[in-house]
Amino acid sequence: MNIILLGPPGAGKGTQAARLESSRGMIQLSTGDMLRQAVRDGTPVGLKAKAVMEAGELVSDAIVSALIGERLDAIGDKGAIFDGFPRTRAQAEALDLLLSERGRKLDHVIELQVNEDALVERITGRFSCASCGAPYHDAYKLPKLAGTCDVCGSHDFKRRPDDNEATVRTRMAEYRAKTAPILPYYEERGLVRHVDGMAPVDEVAAAIEAILTQ
Ligand code: AP5
C-alpha cells in the first residue's frame, strides 16, 4: 500500500507516519527529513536547500523528486508513506511517474484537517533529543526529569531552525498557495480522505487505520 499524508506544517504528518511504521511496517518517506540530513551532511543538495528551508520556502521540484525516487528504490516491496511530498502539482505528476515506473500505485491521499492558528503553538513549542530524536513539547510533553531525555538519558536537545513563528507563517502560506491546490488532482481520482487532525494523536491514528483497513 502507498499513501500520501497531506496537511500544513505541524498537522501531524510525521507523528502519524511514525505510528504507521510501527503498526504496519510501512516506510516513512519524508522529504523534510531527507533534506535536513543532506544539510547536516553538507552534500550539494544540502548546500542548495539550507537557506531555502530556513526561509520556509520550497526546495526545487527536481531535487525532492530525485530524493523520493532514490528512496523508493531502496525500500523493496514495503508500503510507502509520503510525508511532505508531493507539495506542488509538478511533484504530484512526478510521483505518478515514479510509482508507475516501479509497478506501484497510490491507494489513499489522507488530508489532515487542522486549525492553522493552533499549529503555530504546536510547532514553535516542539524540540527533540539531539541524540535519539525522541520528540518533546514545551507545553504538552516535557521530559519527566528536566533536561534529561526520557528515552536515552542524553542532556542535549535541539530545535529545528525553521520552527520560529515568522518562518512557520511563511511555510503555511506556501502550503496554501502551492500544496493545497493539488487536492483536486487526487479528488478527481477518488483518492482523497479527510481526517480531523485536531483530535488527540491516538484518535487521528485510529481514523487513519480505519481508512487503510476498508
Ligand atoms: P517538513 O519537514 O516536511 O515540514 P512540514 O511539512 O512543515 O511539517 P512538520 O514536520 O513541521 O509537521 P508535521 O505535519 O510532520 O507535524 P508533526 O508530526 O511534526 O519540511 C520542512 C521544509 O523542507 C519545508 O519548509 C521546505 O523548505 C522543505 N521541503 C520538504 N519537503 C519538500 C518538498 N516536497 N518540496 C519542496 N520543499 C520541501 O507534529 C508537530 C507537533 O505537533 C509535534 O510536536 C507533535 O508532537 C504535535 N502533534 C502532532 N499531532 C498532534 C495531535 N493530534 N495533537 C496534539 N499535538 C500533536
Side-chain angles (χ1 to χ4, degrees):
M1 182 178 293
N2 302 291
I3 67 169
I4 294 171
L5 294 181
L6 200 65
K13 304 179 296 292
T15 301
Q16 296 302 327
R19 291 288 190 106
L20 288 167
E21 282 201 323
S22 305
S23 64
R24 287 185 159 255
M26 297 173 76
I27 303 293
Q28 174 189 18
L29 300 182
S30 159
T31 39
D33 287 347
M34 293 173 207
L35 290 167
R36 280 185 286 280
Q37 186 63 52
V39 171
R40 279 194 294 275
D41 293 346
T43 67
V45 163
L47 293 175
K48 277 192 194 146
K50 187 171 186 289
V52 179
M53 293 173 78
E54 286 179 2
E57 292 163 3
L58 295 188
V59 174
S60 85
D61 293 330
I63 285 179
V64 293
S65 301
L67 287 173
I68 285 286
E70 283 166 22
R71 287 300 305 276
L72 268 177
D73 288 334
I75 68 169
D77 57 2
K78 291 193 172 154
I81 309 155
F82 297 100
D83 163 6
F85 179 91
R87 267 174 147 96
T88 64
R89 172 71 180 238
Q91 291 179 26
E93 290 170 359
L95 179 60
D96 281 342
L97 190 61
L98 289 167
L99 289 172
S100 70
E101 284 170 350
R102 290 159 179 80
R104 289 177 178 260
K105 76 172 182 48
L106 200 53
D107 295 285
H108 300 286
V109 176
I110 299 176
E111 185 200 20
L112 298 174
Q113 295 184 309
V114 286
N115 165 348
E116 281 194 10
D117 286 329
L119 295 190
V120 174
E121 192 205 356
R122 266 197 200 177
I123 297 178
T124 55
R126 75 175 164 188
F127 60 100
S128 61
C129 172
S131 179
C132 72
Y136 296 97
H137 193 281
D138 293 325
Y140 315 119
K141 195 182 175 225
L142 286 166
K144 292 187 184 107
L145 182 62
T148 304
C149 176
D150 297 345
V151 177
C152 73
S154 164
H155 301 299
D156 285 337
F157 295 90
K158 62 179 182 183
R159 290 178 192 263
R160 275 171 46 177
D162 59 346
D163 275 355
N164 58 79
E165 179 161 355
T167 307
V168 170
R169 297 275 179 203
T170 303
R171 287 158 60 192
M172 285 177 173
E174 289 281 82
Y175 180 83
R176 280 194 299 273
K178 296 172 184 164
T179 307
I182 67 178
L183 271 168
Y185 181 73
Y186 294 117
E187 274 161 354
E188 280 167 13
R189 288 147 62 180
L191 290 173
V192 178
R193 305 298 304 270
H194 306 283
V195 167
D196 175 11
M198 299 311 294
V201 172
D202 287 347
E203 284 180 27
V204 178
I208 293 173
E209 186 56 34
I211 292 168
L212 302 193
T213 48
Q214 270 167 10

